[in-house]
Amino acid sequence: MSHPHPELGPPPPPPENGLRIVALGGLGEIGRNMAVFEYDGRLLVVDCGVLFPEPDQPGVDLILPDFDYIRGRLDDIEALVLTHAHEDHIGAVPYLLRERRDIPLVGSRLTLGLIESKLAEHRIQPVKVEVIEGERRSFGPFECEFVAVNHSIPDALAVAVRTPAGLVLHTGDFKMDQLPLDGRLTDLGAFARLGAEGVDLLMSDSTNSEVPGFVTSERDIAPVIDDVFRTAAKRIIVASFASHIHRVQQIMDAAEKHGRKVALIGRSMVRNMGVARELGYLKVPAGLLVDSREIEEWPPEDVVLICTGSQGEPMAALSRMANRDHPIRIAEGDTVLLASSLVPGNETAVSKVINGLNRWGARVVHKGNARVHVSGHAAAGELLYVLNLTKPSNFMPVHGEWRHLRAHARLAELTGVPRENIVIAEDGVVVDLVDGRARIAGAVPCGYVFVDGTSVGDITDVALKDRRILGDEGFISIVVVVDSTTGKLTGGPEITARGSGIDPDAFDAVVPQIESALQEVAAAGVADEMQIRRTIRRTVGRWVSDTYRRRPMIIPVVVEV
């Protein structure tokens, strides 16, 4: 079993007649999925998604893959294949197309419809190549065959990439629901046919590799949703991913059955459902939808609101409702349905929203107390099924945290994939497929790229550390005036603090220490501004630590006269 090593060096030039694969995201994390295939100097990219920030990344809106590896070779990209339209697979496409706008986007009808709608907000008109399951298309040296897979969004595809170096099957995100709402099954026959042809490398979704058995069918949720509608006395507010068309369809069907009107809340929800309806993936009965601005005119027992915010995102509609910062006010007797899974890392934020909703008297139905969501990712039983069908010579788990990747690797070994042919890589690790063997060849730099408002890549880890310190401990500013020639103190120090929790009068105790320290520096003949700031920072920092056991940010300001 090949493992990445923290001291992997730069890879050698790509091997002749070999296929090089570099994941720029999606390994060791859930999100930011992006894989780059290289053969004979040409590139094929599969997916280009975003990762959503953690609580310890304040001010960050999105996290992108690091494009540096391909930035100097954008003209070598033959196409960008999009397996499906979830944000963790398409969210970074606008940022890549800013660097080369005519990269062909390859995907299913719905996937391209949703990405085109997203790109319109960035004023980008994409070059689209629509494909369907069973179709084969060549992009330079890459022949791609597209395979239908079932997922929590319609029209998802796996892609089989053929080059003279071998056949690689990339499953994308998938599950094996045998009774899907849209009737579109994962094409196990195609997987078996590819296995018979000879899969040289299988790259497979690992998200649920630790979950035994098979995932529950989407149809099993319908009775639970119906029960929620039947027992709800007043308004029903449903929070879901803005891309979960199947779930929205189920809610609309239940609303029609129980005589309620539906309003969509949130820009992304309105946009995505508009595209899905226009393309025929969402069936909306006549007269069911009403404008969200008219919703207050309807009796509460006749209303269903579908909004975003199931992950506790602070600016999403549901979080704002919980905080009483939204035009729609949660009232006693309302029912809130969180109809989505919990993304790892969002537990605290979601719990806070649930508590806020309960505070105002809402009944909250969520995955913890009812079966209101099933996963869109294959569990261990399904993953074993695919491994046995495809019989890969080499295996590389993708799309998952470290625990998921290792669990999936163990499943592959159980099905007979030789241990030395299982590659567990992380973002930036270079994998070469040569002569039927997949091996780690090195690593390329591959960090996080933070989006903060309109700023892309300007926020560094150092800046985030400063933000965390400011948020946790506050800051102390010390202004002194010194003689530019001698370095002697001629004015101040004046001390200001914000968020430190220290009484302003308490700083009187540290002023003599600052004055004494600066006198010693001046007596030593030091007039350098940097050294003076360092002396102030060290003196005040030691005093705060000894007195209060705190570590606020200390900002010395030296004015020379």
Side-chain angles (χ1 to χ4, degrees), residues 461-489:
D461 288 329
V462 173
L464 284 179
K465 181 180 178 182
D466 288 347
R467 289 181 178 185
R468 287 193 291 271
I469 293 172
L470 286 169
D472 293 340
E473 304 282 356
F475 75 91
I476 299 171
S477 171
I478 307 99
V479 180
V480 298
V481 181
V482 299
D483 186 296
S484 59
T485 304
T486 64
K488 289 184 177 180
L489 185 67

Side-chain angles (χ1 to χ4, degrees), residues 540-557:
V540 176
R542 187 186 306 115
W543 174 79
V544 173
S545 178
D546 291 345
T547 308
Y548 295 96
R549 295 293 185 267
R550 295 177 187 167
R551 297 183 63 185
M553 181 174 289
I554 298 170
I555 307 173
V557 179

Side-chain angles (χ1 to χ4, degrees), residues 82-96:
L82 302 172
T83 58
H84 64 283
H86 279 150
E87 285 295 302
D88 59 336
H89 292 258
I90 68 167
V93 171
Y95 300 93
L96 181 60

Side-chain angles (χ1 to χ4, degrees), residues 127-166:
V127 177
K128 300 185 297 179
V129 181
E130 185 177 318
V131 294
I132 61 173
E133 54 262 33
E135 185 173 352
R136 291 192 184 194
R137 284 284 188 101
S138 290
F139 305 96
F142 307 97
E143 183 191 71
C144 297
E145 178 181 348
F146 300 93
V147 179
V149 291
N150 179 247
H151 188 40
S152 53
I153 188 171
D155 251 9
L157 295 168
V159 58
V161 181
R162 292 180 177 87
T163 68

Side-chain angles (χ1 to χ4, degrees), residues 36 57 123 151 250 290 319 329 358 368 484-485 528 537 557:
V36 179
Q57 294 163 329
R123 296 184 174 86
H151 188 40
Q250 287 179 307
V290 297
S319 296
R329 313 284 280 185
N358 274 281
S484 59
T485 304
D528 177 65
R537 186 179 292 112
V557 179

